Every structure is written in C-alpha cells, then in structure tokens.
Amino acid sequence: MARLNWGMIGGGEGSQIGPAHRISAGLDGHFHLAAGALDVDPARGKAYAEKLGIAPDRAYGNWREMLEGESGRDDRIDLVTVATPNSTHYEITKAFLENGFNVLCEKPMTMTVEEAEDIVETVRNSGKICAVNYGYSGYAMVRHMRAMVARGDLGKVRLVKAEFAHGFHADAADADNPRIRWRYDPAQIGPSAQFADCGIHALHLANFVSGQESQSLSADFISAIDSRTLEDDAMVNVRLDGGAVVRLWTSAVAVGRMHGLGVQVFGEKGGLRWEQEHPNQLYWTPVGGRTEILERGAPDLSPEADRASRVTIGHAEGMPLAFANIYADLAEVISAAKEGRTPDPVAMSYPTAEDGLRSMAAIRSAVDSASGNGAWTDARPPSMRG
C-alpha cells in the first residue's frame, strides 16, 4: 500500500481532538500529514502547521485556501479530516466532497437533518468517501461484540443498554467557562447538548453492535443547571428496526463518573458487556452459564477483533488506537480504489455519512420527543422512511 497524503482542517495547537487524530492517522504509516489549515487565526495556523513538518506552501490560512491549493496539485491530499467547530462541518465537508476529496468529519456531521441529507446525496454524486468519526466503534472488542451478534452467538437481540455519563459539567460555577459554555449554546452546537455530544456515541455503539438501526424513540431531557438553555442529562428509549430496544442514559452532571461510555447487549442465548475505560475486556455470559472474560489479543477471537488489535495481550489499549482503526479502514478503501481492486471486507466497518445522517435524525427526534413530554417520535431520516 502506497503512502497516502492527508490533510487536516482545525485541530490546531492546544485543541483537544487534534493530537488524537494526528497520532491515529500516523500510527500505521499509511498517511503523511501533507497539508493543513489548523487554526481560525491564519498566522497561528500556518506557524503550527510548519512546526508539525508541513511544507510552507501547504500550510494554509483557512480551509478555502486549502481547497483551492490542493485542488490544483498532482499530489493532492487523498483524505481530509474536518475537526472544526460543529457549525462549520457541513460547509467544509460538502465543498471538499464536491471537489473530489475523501473526507473524515468529526461528529456531528452537520447541524441539521436537511444538511445531513444533502451530504449523503453529495457523496452519491461525487463517488467519494465521507466517514464520520464515531471512533469508539474502532475498539477491537467492540468489533468482536458486533461479530458475535452477527454470527448468532447471542441469538435474537432483545435489549441493549448504553451509557455515556460523566460529571465534568456538574459545577454551576463553571457555567460561564468558555470551554464549557459553548457546549450548551444552540448557535454553536445545535438544538441538543449532551445527547448530541455524548449520547449519540452511545446510540451509535448500540446500533453498531446490534446490527439494527433506530426506528422510533422517546426522550426525557433536563437541565440540572438552571442557567443552561440545553440539556445536560438525558434518558432515551429507542426501538430498533430488528425488534430490540435500547435503554440509553447520558449525562454531564454525574459526579464521580469519568468517561462513562459502555454498552451491554442481551440476547436470547446470552449477554455481553463492555466499558470504554476497560477496553481490553469483554464479558460474555451464556444463558445458564458462567461469565467469561474475553481478552483483547487472545486467540480464537473474530477476524474483526484480530485486525483491530494493535498491541500484545495484557497491555492497555487506548482511544487513539481505536481512532487509528478508522484511519486504517479508510486507508484500505482509498488505496483499493486507487489500485483498482476490491477492499478487504473487514475494512468496511467505518462509520459513514449515512450513520451521520441517522444520528442527526435521532437528535432531532429526541429534541421533539423531550419537548413533547416523551412522546414517541420517528427516529429515521425522512429519506429512509420508505
């Protein structure tokens, strides 16, 4: 596989997500950071890009300069990561897709369902890839959960319990902290805060491991800190198209909880449990049997888990490695297209624009349901209602 040129928009010096992407993209040597528009301040962004080793003529002041500059190059980037504020995702992603670039967009993919529908249509028209960074689906044992469900180990899935609860926004004194306040500002994040920020990761995992999509939902939102316009805690019940039900709780005011992402799947033959803070272990309990701890890196796991396992058994697996599996998937699919071959089927697990669209539809549905006292609402995008 030839090395691919990669570009990044956003994720500049001091950002939370930028380093994770750069570590993840570079882990396997598939991608070379060739271009960037890394900061809203052009001078600062150019300086940091050059500090990272990007050539001066590919250290751009903004994304429009980058789009124009890369479009005219024979060695143009093969993939661009969009890691800018939520409200800019749609415009940037659409522009790069329309000009023939593959895109990995941070979640949420857009601010509205209509924008998400347009991105999906743009992908179809352009023939390019648009992936969305639901990066936790890259964990090896999450992929093994999905494989176990798909091969029938659990029988029919009845119930999925998903959580993403932390307590880092629980102090009312921090309500005006700029690093926190933007997460509850509708102009910057859209109509939902905690569910759109964290809960949607939990819902994506529930869909991913169960192999079923959200059909309808009922939501209850609260703002535990009164000054917040948007919710900081949510409970959402979801009915899936394969008959299973999701019980989802997400919170930013759960004092004592840290990252707090986990998923449990209960089927007619057994149950599975996984937590992101302990990613190496997957707990499997067959009906009438004892709980078994499945270890990442152990023999006799699925091909999906084997491909996603990066370090030897017993060593800690971290979030950048999960993100790296998304980048490895994209490298395989992009390279296969350039080389005129069929990609490895196991690499087709990356989250797509359709996943981003389903997430935006679920967010809108949850907002409508919460404002309607928990009324059940259709969680499907309009284009997927049939």
Side-chain angles (χ1 to χ4, degrees):
M1 182 186 295
R3 205 174 190 197
L4 301 170
N5 284 327
W6 172 56
M8 191 170 193
I9 302 171
E13 191 165 21
S15 79
Q16 182 180 18
I17 202 66
H21 277 284
R22 287 188 286 275
I23 291 168
S24 302
L27 188 66
D28 296 302
H30 297 322
F31 289 102
H32 162 61
L33 181 57
L38 303 180
D39 199 293
V40 68
D41 181 286
R44 190 166 58 208
K46 290 180 179 180
Y48 190 56
E50 292 184 40
K51 183 178 178 180
L52 293 175
I54 294 174
D57 65 327
R58 301 181 84 172
Y60 299 100
N62 59 59
W63 69 266
R64 289 182 176 85
E65 288 182 7
M66 182 169 164
L67 178 60
E68 182 179 359
E70 291 300 308
S71 294
R73 299 185 67 104
D74 293 334
D75 60 347
R76 64 182 351 215
I77 52 175
D78 298 290
L79 175 71
V80 60
T81 293
V82 179
T84 54
N86 297 359
S87 60
T88 66
H89 289 179
Y90 168 68
E91 181 181 22
I92 299 172
T93 297
K94 182 177 172 65
F96 274 83
L97 287 170
E98 287 181 331
N99 283 274
F101 292 92
N102 299 302
V103 178
L104 171 60
C105 183
E106 263 300 330
K107 48 69 58 182
M109 183 174 74
T110 62
M111 294 279 278
T112 69
V113 175
E114 291 76 15
E115 290 175 346
E117 293 272 21
D118 189 40
I119 291 295
V120 169
E121 184 64 23
T122 303
V123 169
R124 292 180 184 138
N125 292 336
S126 69
K128 307 310 290 185
I129 292 168
C130 179
V132 183
N133 192 38
Y134 292 110
Y136 303 112
S137 63
Y139 276 105
M141 300 313 281
V142 169
R143 294 191 169 190
H144 188 60
M145 291 180 80
R146 176 183 170 96
M148 289 183 69
V149 170
R151 71 191 185 196
D153 292 8
L154 281 73
K156 183 178 180 179
V157 174
R158 296 166 171 165
L159 175 66
V160 182
K161 182 174 181 288
E163 292 186 0
F164 197 158
H166 65 81
F168 293 108
H169 301 167
D171 189 347
D174 282 339
D176 287 329
N177 182 333
R179 294 182 66 86
I180 295 175
R181 185 178 61 230
W182 76 271
R183 295 180 181 275
Y184 300 91
D185 179 2
Q188 297 186 69
I189 199 168
S192 168
Q194 181 60 21
F195 181 65
D197 186 30
C198 294
I200 208 66
H201 276 298
L203 182 57
H204 179 262
L205 281 189
N207 296 142
F208 183 79
V209 300
S210 69
Q212 301 181 32
E213 299 298 343
S214 302
Q215 189 167 44
S216 60
L217 61 77
S218 170
D220 181 36
F221 287 2
I222 67 165
S223 298
I225 294 179
D226 294 337
S227 62
R228 290 175 178 156
T229 303
L230 300 176
E231 87 286 352
D232 50 24
D233 184 280
M235 182 69 75
V236 184
N237 291 310
V238 187
R239 293 171 180 158
L240 304 182
D241 59 7
V245 174
V246 178
R247 309 297 191 196
L248 188 153
W249 172 52
T250 184
S251 183
V253 294
V255 179
R257 295 288 294 266
M258 298 303 290
H259 194 264
L261 174 62
V263 61
Q264 296 175 259
V265 185
F266 304 102
E268 58 189 0
K269 296 181 182 179
L272 292 166
R273 174 167 57 90
W274 179 85
E275 296 175 356
Q276 195 264 346
E277 292 177 55
H278 307 282
N280 280 6
Q281 288 79 40
L282 174 62
Y283 294 82
W284 159 240
T285 308
V287 169
R290 295 180 178 177
T291 297
E292 178 184 359
I293 302 175
L294 306 181
E295 290 281 351
R296 184 203 52 76
D300 301 324
L301 294 180
S302 62
E304 291 86 349
D306 292 341
R307 185 178 186 274
S309 188
R310 302 310 194 102
V311 293
T312 55
I313 189 170
H315 292 82
E317 180 184 46
M319 180 263 281
L321 297 184
F323 282 23
N325 286 329
I326 304 295
Y327 277 100
D329 291 342
L330 294 174
E332 167 61 13
V333 177
I334 293 169
S335 295
K338 294 181 73 171
E339 296 164 10
R341 60 177 175 84
T342 302
D344 183 343
V346 182
M348 302 304 292
S349 297
Y350 66 88
T352 65
E354 285 80 5
D355 294 311
L357 169 58
R358 291 187 182 96
S359 294
M360 292 312 304
I363 291 167
R364 173 182 282 182
S365 178
V367 170
D368 290 346
S369 174
S371 63
N373 295 315
W376 283 91
T377 59
D378 197 323
R380 298 170 297 175
S383 63
M384 298 181 182
R385 292 180 185 178

